[in-house]
Amino acid sequence: MTTPALASRLLDVIEQDIIPLTARGVETGNKLFGAAILRKSDLSLVIAETNNELENPLWHGEVHTLKRFYEMGEKPDTRDLIFLSTHEPCTMCMSAITWAGFDNFYYFFSHEDSRDAFAIPHDLKILKEVFDLEPGGYRRKNAFWSAFAITDLVEGAEGDERQRMRDKVAVLKARYDALSATYQASKSGNSIPLA
């Protein structure tokens, strides 16, 4: 699988599988973070989920996806899977991905995007206050996993393919802007500790 083909598939999963779940979650007051797990072999979807912090403040998009993955009967080995996150995982979610045995994760929006575009600054505050790390201060390639920004993969494509994916990125960003507006308008009435 080429890098542009992988980037294209990840964008498709965000659009077709994660966003519909997230839209329903945001309508009830949950945050707009989601995740999915795909097979490395053929990029088929294993499971997609979204944030469910109203049920449990630990059910961030990534952790809730892992919870649901482990509730499945038969499941593939995590070494054979790709972990996709709509937003760069927070430290709790990075740890969960690590403990689950994934050797990778891919993300669409950065921590800075979560803070600046979505007014959800907690990831960067926790990195600084608990771990004394600046934005981007964690190691994206380490003994456990490698992390990849999907937008970097898009920029690695060439010609028409890169432009097609840039256009899709713009569409997805607009969808998330709308989801963010809905979440921001309703968050004062929810019970999420770090809303």
Side-chain angles (χ1 to χ4, degrees), residues 109-128:
F109 292 106
S110 70
H111 286 150
E112 291 87 354
D113 292 329
S114 294
R115 177 193 63 204
D116 301 340
F118 302 114
I120 303 173
H122 315 302
D123 300 340
L124 289 176
K125 282 184 175 179
I126 291 169
L127 276 171
K128 183 63 179 168

Side-chain angles (χ1 to χ4, degrees), residues 22 25-26 29-34 50-54 60 120 122 183 190 192-195:
T22 300
V26 167
N30 284 296
K31 289 190 186 107
L32 57 149
F33 305 127
T50 194
N51 183 290
N52 195 12
E53 286 182 85
L54 288 175
H60 290 195
I120 303 173
H122 315 302
Y183 172 71
N190 73 31
I192 300 171
L194 295 177

Side-chain angles (χ1 to χ4, degrees), residues 13-108:
V13 169
I14 291 170
E15 180 180 41
Q16 298 164 13
D17 300 294
I18 299 173
I19 286 179
L21 297 169
T22 300
R24 287 192 294 276
V26 167
E27 286 174 12
T28 65
N30 284 296
K31 289 190 186 107
L32 57 149
F33 305 127
I37 298 171
L38 296 83
R39 288 178 179 80
K40 288 180 182 177
S41 61
D42 62 4
L43 301 183
S44 61
L45 181 68
V46 175
I47 192 166
E49 261 303 337
T50 194
N51 183 290
N52 195 12
E53 286 182 85
L54 288 175
E55 180 180 313
N56 181 329
L58 301 180
W59 294 160
H60 290 195
E62 299 90 341
V63 174
H64 194 240
T65 300
L66 289 168
K67 172 191 177 293
R68 296 291 310 265
F69 174 73
Y70 280 99
E71 291 172 348
M72 293 170 53
E74 254 184 73
K75 57 196 151 302
D77 189 305
T78 55
R79 292 173 292 194
D80 298 327
L81 301 172
I82 291 171
F83 197 95
L84 167 60
S85 182
T86 59
H87 294 69
E88 189 170 9
C90 72
T91 52
M92 177 182 73
C93 293
M94 281 185 214
S95 294
I97 291 165
T98 305
W99 282 104
F102 285 86
D103 64 6
N104 69 84
F105 67 82
Y106 293 79
Y107 61 91
F108 186 59

Side-chain angles (χ1 to χ4, degrees), residues 87-182:
H87 294 69
E88 189 170 9
C90 72
T91 52
M92 177 182 73
C93 293
M94 281 185 214
S95 294
I97 291 165
T98 305
W99 282 104
F102 285 86
D103 64 6
N104 69 84
F105 67 82
Y106 293 79
Y107 61 91
F108 186 59
F109 292 106
S110 70
H111 286 150
E112 291 87 354
D113 292 329
S114 294
R115 177 193 63 204
D116 301 340
F118 302 114
I120 303 173
H122 315 302
D123 300 340
L124 289 176
K125 282 184 175 179
I126 291 169
L127 276 171
K128 183 63 179 168
E129 292 298 320
V130 177
F131 300 101
D132 198 23
L133 293 174
E134 296 300 327
Y138 72 92
R139 291 181 28 215
R140 283 173 174 72
K141 188 172 184 96
N142 56 62
F144 298 102
W145 39 254
S146 295
F148 305 94
I150 296 169
T151 53
D152 289 345
L153 301 181
V154 166
E155 291 307 311
E158 297 179 0
D160 291 344
E161 180 67 9
R162 178 172 50 209
Q163 189 55 52
R164 186 189 68 73
M165 285 193 287
R166 282 178 174 169
D167 292 345
K168 180 166 250 182
V169 165
V171 167
L172 293 176
K173 286 184 176 186
R175 297 276 310 272
Y176 275 98
D177 286 346
L179 289 169
S180 179
T182 300

